[in-house]
Every structure is written in C-alpha cells, then in structure tokens.
C-alpha cells in the first residue's frame, strides 16, 4: 500500500476528517440563522372581550415589518376595532384603518445593532470554519503519517532480521556439514548455532512489533464508515523519500518564500479578532442613547395611494439613556481586554510558527546529510562482511569475526532505517507546522 493511497484513504474516510466537514456545515447553518434576523415578519394581535351579552371590545391589529441592514424598519398594517367600551383612541373607520410607515433608530442601533453584529460575525465564522476544518484534517493526516512511518520502519527492520536469519541458517548448515566431513571443529557448530538462534530471536521480536504496528495503523483505515483491518500480505512502500514530498505537498518548499501571514492557524486567530472587534463596535454603540423615531401614514383605503396624506399620521419619539452607563462601559472594557489578549496570542503564535518552521528546515538539511553518511557506512560494512566471508572460505578467518562483522552491518542497517524514519518524521513536522491541506489526495 503506497503512502499516497494510504493518506488518500485517511482523508476521504476517517471519521475525524469527516467530522471536520461538520465545522463548515455548522458555519453555513449559523450564517443562515443570522440572516433570519432580517426576514420580513407578520404580527397579528387580536383581543376580544364579551360579558353578559355585551361586546366590550373586539380589536385586531395586524402588522407587516421589513427590517433593513441599518436601524431602519419599514412597516405596514391594519387596525379594526369595535365595541361598547372601546377606548376612544382606538376608534377607527368601519372598514378599518390602514397605516404605512417607518421606524428609525437614530442613536443606539443605527450604524450597528445586535442583528447586524450577529450576521457579520456569522459571515466571519463561516470563513473561519473552513480554515479550522483544514487545521483539523491536517492534524489527522499528520498522526496517520507518523503511524505509517513507524509501520515502514518496523517492516524494514523485520526484512533485515529475516535476511540475516536466512544467512545464519545457511552458514550453520554449511559449518555443520564441514564438521561432519572433519573440516571444522565441533565448537564452530555451536557458535554458528548460537548466531542462528540470535537471528531467529531478533526476527520473532520484530515480527511481533510488526503485528502490533499493523493494528495501530488500522486505526486510521476506514471505508464507508466501517473500520478496515490491515492484512498481513499488505506491505508499505519501500521508497518513501520523494513520495512524502509530493503526497504532503511540501515539495520544493523554500524558507525564503515562506509567508507566515497566510498560515491557517494565524488566519483563524485573525478571524477571532475580527469577531471581537465587531463586539467592540457593538458595545461602543451601546454607550449612545436610545432614540427611536416612529412615523406612520394613516388611511381608511388601503388600495388608494393618494389617500395616504401627511395630514393623517401617527408618530412618536422614544428616548432612554442610563445616567452612569456603568454596565455599558464595563462591557466595552471587557471586550477590549479580550481583543488585547487575542492579539498577544497572535503575536506569540507568529513567532512560534516562524521559529519552528526554521528549525525544521535546518533539521531536514541535517538529516539529509546523515542519510548520506549512514548509507556510506552500510556499504562499507557490507564490503567488510563480504571480505571476511571470503577469507573464511579460504580458511584465513573464523566464525567469530564473521559474526562480529555481521552484527556491525545489522547495526548500521538499523541506524540507516532509523535515520530515514527521522527524516520522514521531520517532513511530517514541516507539513504540520505549515498546516498544509493536500488538495490532490
């Protein structure tokens, strides 16, 4: 199973990756709900009282309202009232009294109000949910990549132990045959047998680790919401170095061209600050007095526009203002503190991300150098072992020296595998630090 195929499965089917999509769905639902604050409304108020055969009053007041972006609300309605004890101010023509007018907030709520603030914050949250989704998917892919690298490491180690186990078995049989032919001493068969048993022990330990890691890797494999267990015949991709760069989309990354401003985590934090700034503007607006002007044209005929004249109207002014504004000033101060706290977090995160990316970039350079060095050591160790085996065949060496050379070769191969794994992990750390969202998986 190639690394790209594995990561594609994780991105497409892992529950957390799917759960991340719910953030966007939630943001869109929140935006839809906030837009509902500007939906036109129909209000009907009906009251009737009848007692001992007398109709005290029968009142109907129906209103249609259209809220707008700023503190202006258009409305139209009808009043139909009758009754023996009706309040004289509620007396209307027989067919009812129609009205059409406007309500304007000139103080608090004109430039910004709760309805406007909620919608603006919902739009920002909708954009933030996309960035947060990418961060969550990036984290899942990062953990999945680490599990794959561990699987690759243990599989490669098992291959090393298996190869040298086979070599030890062949050598043991050869020494045993030589002993039976009288060419080797009995002690040589004991030494060859011990070497074969050690290789068998190492291989078995690696096999158990491989089984455990295969199960751990299966935690990231899902298909149609059903967990998938990795079968023993499935093996990791051998050549991972270049495949990781293309799969994680970090190929050709240049530290000099890195722009931290577009980092998803910082963008998410900036979205949070933008929402707090809307809260700040709203709290500042609360310091203004409430001043509402209401004006309605009146007419007994709803279908004749000329009947709505300025001489027939109903209007009013509403004014209110707390004397000390302690609650409003306290709310404004609190939101300013939240903004300052978020800005400090943003500055700290900027420096942390920049330094981490720089550190990982230098780490990658070092691991590339280490890989070249350990590869040379493995090649030299292999040459030494081959030469020692040739000398043993000619009778100029011993099993002790061959086993010693073989142990050094095994150690160097294991160090090579471990160094490659560190290089792979460093690339995954770069992927996480950059918060890349692979588009081609």
């Amino acid at each position: 199973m190639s690394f790209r195929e594995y990561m594609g499965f994780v991105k497409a089917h892992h529950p957390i990756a799917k759960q991340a999509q719910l953030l966007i769905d939630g943001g869109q639902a929140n935006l839809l709900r906030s837009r509902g604050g500007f939906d036109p409304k129909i209000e009907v108020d009906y009251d009737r009282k009848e007692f001992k055969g007398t109709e005290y009053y029968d009142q109907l007041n129906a209103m249609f309202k259209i809220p707008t972006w700023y503190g202006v609300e258009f409305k139209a309605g009808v009043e139909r009232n009758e009754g023996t004890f009706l309040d004289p101010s509620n007396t209307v023509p027989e067919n009812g009294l129609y009205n059409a007018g406007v309500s304007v907030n000139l103080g608090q709520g004109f430039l910004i109000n709760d309805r406007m603030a909620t919608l603006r914050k919902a739009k920002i949250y909708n954009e933030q949910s996309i960035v947060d989704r990418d961060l969550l998917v990036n984290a899942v892919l990062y953990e999945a990549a680490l599990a794959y690298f561990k699987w690759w490491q243990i599989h490669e180690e098992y291959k090393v132990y298996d190869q040298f186990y086979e070599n030890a078995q062949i050598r043991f049989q050869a020494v045993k045959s030589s002993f039976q032919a009288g060419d080797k001493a009995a002690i040589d068969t004991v030494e060859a047998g011990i070497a074969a048993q050690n290789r068998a022990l190492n291989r078995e330990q690696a096999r158990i680790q491989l089984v455990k890691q295969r199960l751990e890797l299966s935690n990231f494999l899902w298909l149609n919401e059903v967990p998938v267990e990795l079968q023993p015949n499935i093996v990791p991709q051998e050549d991972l170095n270049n495949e990781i760069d293309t799969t994680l989309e970090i190929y050709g990354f240049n530290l000099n061209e890195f722009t931290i401003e577009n980092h998803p985590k910082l963008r998410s934090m900036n979205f949070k600050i933008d929402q707090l700034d809307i809260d700040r503007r709203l709290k500042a607006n609360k310091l203004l007095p409430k001043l509402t002007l209401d004006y309605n044209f009146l007419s007994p005929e709803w279908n004749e526009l000329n009947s709505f004249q300025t001489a027939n109207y109903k209007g009013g002014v509403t004014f209110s203002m707390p004397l000390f504004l302690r609650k409003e000033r306290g709310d404004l101060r609190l939101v300013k503190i939240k903004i300052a706290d978020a800005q400090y977090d943003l500055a700290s995160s900027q420096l942390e991300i920049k330094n981490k990316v720089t550190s990982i970039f230098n780490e990658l350079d070092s691991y590339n150098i280490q890989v070249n060095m350990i590869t040379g050591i493995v090649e030299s160790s292999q040459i030494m072992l081959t030469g020692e085996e040739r000398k043993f065949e000619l009778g100029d060496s011993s099993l002790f020296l061959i086993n010693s050379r073989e142990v050094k070769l095994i150690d160097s191969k294991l160090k090579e595998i471990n160094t490659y794994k560190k290089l792979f992990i460093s690339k995954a750390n770069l992927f996480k630090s950059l918060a890349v969202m692979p588009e081609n998986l």
Side-chain angles (χ1 to χ4, degrees):
M1 181 170 59
S2 69
F3 182 65
R4 174 177 290 275
E5 180 185 10
Y6 164 75
M7 295 294 282
F9 264 101
V10 174
K11 182 183 177 184
H13 301 288
H14 195 278
I16 296 181
K18 288 188 173 184
Q19 185 182 16
Q21 182 63 34
L22 297 178
L23 291 174
I24 297 180
D25 297 340
Q28 293 173 347
N30 186 51
L31 180 59
L32 178 64
R33 182 184 64 177
S34 300
R35 283 175 173 163
F38 293 90
D39 288 345
K41 294 185 294 185
I42 296 178
E43 297 178 358
V44 178
D45 186 9
Y46 177 71
D47 284 329
R48 176 184 175 86
K49 181 178 180 180
E50 188 169 338
F51 184 68
K52 293 184 179 181
T54 302
E55 183 184 59
Y56 278 62
Y57 56 80
D58 189 308
Q59 296 177 302
L60 173 66
N61 189 349
M63 185 72 65
F64 177 69
K65 297 180 179 180
I66 304 176
T68 62
W69 180 249
Y70 293 100
V72 179
E73 186 176 68
F74 296 99
K75 53 188 178 178
V78 59
E79 286 184 78
R80 290 186 180 181
N81 305 321
E82 58 185 10
T84 304
F85 298 102
L86 187 69
D87 190 323
S89 64
N90 292 327
T91 303
V92 297
E94 182 178 354
N95 292 328
L97 185 64
Y98 299 91
N99 62 79
V102 63
S103 178
V104 182
N105 294 318
L106 294 179
Q108 186 180 129
F110 179 66
L111 295 178
I112 187 171
N113 52 48
D114 291 330
R115 187 170 51 205
M116 295 164 58
T118 300
L119 181 55
R120 285 176 176 174
K121 289 168 64 177
K123 289 180 177 179
I124 295 174
Y125 178 77
N126 190 43
E127 296 180 22
Q128 184 183 6
S129 65
I130 298 175
V131 178
D132 290 342
R133 186 276 311 269
D134 293 346
L135 289 172
L136 189 55
V137 172
N138 175 272
V140 174
L141 293 178
Y142 170 74
E143 296 296 333
L146 295 186
Y148 189 94
F149 299 154
K150 183 67 175 177
W151 179 43
W152 175 87
Q153 178 192 18
I154 296 177
H155 181 266
E156 291 297 313
E157 290 177 351
Y158 176 79
K159 286 169 57 179
V160 170
Y161 288 127
D162 185 62
Q163 174 191 351
F164 284 98
Y165 167 75
E166 296 295 335
N167 292 344
Q169 285 292 340
I170 294 172
R171 189 180 301 119
F172 172 68
Q173 294 299 328
V175 172
K176 186 177 179 181
S177 299
S178 297
F179 164 71
Q180 292 173 348
D183 295 334
K184 297 292 183 183
I187 194 66
D188 289 337
T189 61
V190 176
E191 186 169 359
I194 292 174
Q197 290 174 347
N198 281 328
R199 303 295 179 264
L201 177 62
N202 292 336
R203 189 181 72 158
E204 179 61 19
Q205 290 174 343
R207 188 189 68 82
I208 293 299
Q209 291 297 319
L210 185 58
V211 171
K212 292 173 59 178
Q213 189 57 36
R214 192 182 294 121
L215 291 173
E216 183 175 337
L217 191 75
S218 297
N219 293 333
F220 294 94
L221 292 177
W222 294 71
L223 184 61
N224 298 327
E225 300 182 2
V226 176
V228 178
E229 184 174 341
L230 201 64
Q231 298 302 309
N233 61 322
I234 304 298
V235 298
Q237 179 180 350
E238 291 188 7
D239 185 12
L240 274 180
N241 201 13
N242 293 328
E243 184 71 10
I244 293 173
D245 294 344
T246 55
T247 301
L248 300 183
E249 298 182 9
I250 56 174
Y251 182 78
F253 171 75
N254 191 335
L255 185 61
N256 296 327
E257 298 176 358
F258 174 56
T259 53
I260 197 170
E261 291 78 12
N262 294 326
H263 193 279
K265 181 179 179 180
L266 300 183
R267 289 178 58 198
S268 179
M269 298 179 75
N270 276 315
F271 284 136
K272 179 181 178 181
I273 292 175
D274 291 341
Q275 293 181 63
L276 289 173
D277 188 64
I278 293 175
D279 283 337
R280 180 194 60 80
R281 293 173 56 192
L282 179 63
K283 301 302 182 185
N285 186 261
K286 298 288 186 181
L287 297 175
L288 298 175
K290 292 182 179 179
L291 178 61
T292 303
L293 300 183
D294 191 83
Y295 187 88
N296 297 275
F297 295 100
L298 301 177
S299 172
E301 304 292 338
W302 65 272
N303 56 350
E304 295 183 10
L305 296 178
N306 294 333
S307 63
F308 289 93
Q309 300 177 3
T310 57
N312 302 322
Y313 70 90
K314 180 175 67 173
V317 178
T318 303
F319 175 85
S320 68
M321 182 178 180
L323 293 180
F324 301 111
L325 295 171
R326 285 180 289 196
K327 178 181 181 299
E328 291 75 10
R329 287 187 288 115
D331 289 341
L332 179 59
R333 186 178 300 177
L334 286 173
V335 76
K336 285 183 177 180
I337 292 173
K338 290 181 180 179
I339 291 175
D341 182 66
Q343 288 174 337
Y344 286 134
D345 283 342
L346 177 63
S348 176
S349 297
Q350 282 178 333
L351 181 61
E352 180 181 348
I353 293 173
K354 182 179 180 180
N355 290 340
K356 190 170 185 179
V357 170
T358 303
S359 174
I360 294 173
F361 195 78
N362 294 327
E363 189 178 74
L364 282 171
D365 287 340
S366 175
Y367 281 133
N368 281 317
I369 294 173
Q370 292 180 44
V371 164
N372 293 330
M373 295 174 64
I374 192 63
T375 300
I377 294 174
V378 170
E379 292 174 354
S380 298
S381 298
Q382 182 64 62
I383 292 173
M384 293 296 292
L385 175 60
T386 303
E388 202 66 47
E389 289 176 336
R390 180 60 178 165
K391 290 171 64 178
F392 180 75
E393 292 173 0
L394 297 175
D396 294 334
S397 184
S398 64
L399 281 176
F400 175 79
L401 291 176
I402 290 179
N403 289 336
S404 177
R405 297 293 186 192
E406 195 173 65
V407 168
K408 290 182 180 180
L409 177 58
I410 292 174
D411 289 342
S412 61
K413 280 182 173 290
L414 295 180
K415 286 181 180 179
E416 181 184 35
I417 293 170
N418 191 48
T419 304
Y420 266 110
K421 181 202 170 188
K422 290 180 179 178
L423 174 63
F424 300 159
I425 291 177
S426 185
K427 290 184 177 184
N429 288 335
L430 179 62
F431 167 76
K432 183 180 181 182
S433 297
L434 295 176
V436 176
M437 176 64 173
E439 300 293 338
N440 300 319
L441 283 179

